[in-house]
Amino acid sequence: MIPTITAFENSPDRGQGQARDMRVRWAFEEVGQPYDVRLVSFAGLKQAKHRALQPFGQIPTYEEGDLALFETGAIVLHIAETHAGLLPKDTNGRARAIMWMFSALSTVEPPIVEEEMTGYVEADKPWYEARLPIMHERIRGRLGELSRRLGDADWLDGIFSAGDLMMVMVLRRLNGSKLLAEFPSLLAYVARGEARPAFKRAFAAQLEVFELYRGGNRSRGG
């Protein structure tokens, strides 16, 4: 049975590959697993049918037979555990790859998302300008620690894994940011991830949806 994931009908990132279904698409491409996509409008995110799959009204979701999942970490981990290609074969290597997945989502991503959201909802508040440097220092601190750990290695723990996939996707949220530019090793790390054929296929697939929607062809929507 081919799994089905949900994605934005009209991505708010305007085809930049930041919407979180990109993480799942990339994982599928790395393991060579076909998948179907059901597009969801912003209004559809709030409807009972989607809420039954994702109680917080977000994307992506994953459905395969009687299994339904949400949260990209859980979905990518499931893909990695059921298909070869994203987790090392040795037990300790697998554990470390999973550790880096959690690190990306629990340690590196939160301050980045906080800075993004503050810009969206608090930019007109009197405290915003004073708060911004504090948030930037938190992000800079995490990037510095990650950069030191990565060193001159290509990947976080030897071979490319689901941990690298998730970390690259988190760091891509800083694309164009002066913060990421302060760490050349991390810029190169992200570039290596983006250069992988599986990433390119996933990016093209997500971009195609945006281009179809922008061109007024919504026939693939669900």
Side-chain angles (χ1 to χ4, degrees):
M1 179 175 293
I2 298 178
T4 297
I5 67 170
T6 51
F8 285 127
E9 182 182 65
N10 185 21
S11 181
D13 73 359
R14 303 185 65 78
Q16 297 303 305
Q18 299 289 10
R20 283 179 167 84
D21 63 287
M22 176 64 191
R23 304 173 182 188
V24 179
R25 291 175 184 269
W26 187 6
F28 276 132
E29 294 291 349
E30 287 285 350
V31 302
Q33 168 65 46
Y35 62 99
D36 289 329
V37 180
R38 184 172 67 254
L39 303 180
V40 183
S41 66
F42 290 115
L45 294 176
K46 309 305 179 184
Q47 295 176 1
K49 181 179 179 180
H50 185 73
R51 292 278 187 168
L53 293 172
Q54 221 295 358
F56 305 104
Q58 300 169 324
I59 59 97
T61 60
Y62 173 105
E63 297 172 83
E64 184 177 15
D66 59 359
L67 175 64
L69 299 172
F70 63 92
E71 293 295 339
T72 56
I75 297 170
V76 171
L77 180 57
H78 174 70
I79 294 169
E81 288 184 326
T82 51
H83 302 280
L86 281 173
L87 291 177
K89 294 181 179 179
D90 67 288
T91 301
N92 289 350
R94 291 171 68 90
R96 289 192 299 270
I98 294 169
M99 170 190 74
W100 281 113
M101 289 183 66
F102 277 87
S103 176
L105 297 175
S106 300
T107 301
V108 180
E109 185 170 44
I112 295 173
V113 172
E114 180 186 9
E115 194 269 346
E116 286 180 0
M117 294 306 299
T118 301
Y120 292 145
V121 302
E122 297 183 20
D124 60 340
K125 305 300 181 184
W127 59 79
Y128 176 72
E129 292 298 329
R131 187 181 176 193
L132 196 58
I134 298 172
M135 291 187 291
H136 284 175
E137 280 307 304
R138 288 185 61 208
I139 297 171
R140 188 175 287 112
R142 291 305 187 204
L143 296 182
E145 292 157 349
L146 179 62
S147 178
R148 286 190 289 274
R149 177 57 185 264
L150 179 65
D152 59 0
D154 284 345
W155 308 114
L156 292 168
D157 193 50
I159 63 172
F160 178 85
S161 75
D164 293 295
L165 183 154
M166 202 62 73
M167 190 68 77
V168 167
M169 287 305 305
V170 166
L171 294 177
R172 288 190 78 251
R173 302 188 74 88
L174 292 170
N175 275 0
S177 165
K178 294 180 180 179
L179 288 172
L180 189 60
E182 293 177 16
F183 302 91
S185 65
L186 296 184
L187 278 175
Y189 174 63
V190 171
R192 281 192 293 276
E194 293 176 333
R196 293 180 69 83
F199 176 92
K200 293 181 179 179
R201 291 192 297 270
F203 186 90
Q206 192 187 63
L207 180 61
E208 180 185 14
V209 174
F210 174 74
E211 294 290 352
L212 285 169
Y213 187 95
R214 186 171 64 175
N217 183 350
R218 301 176 59 180
S219 61
R220 293 179 58 179

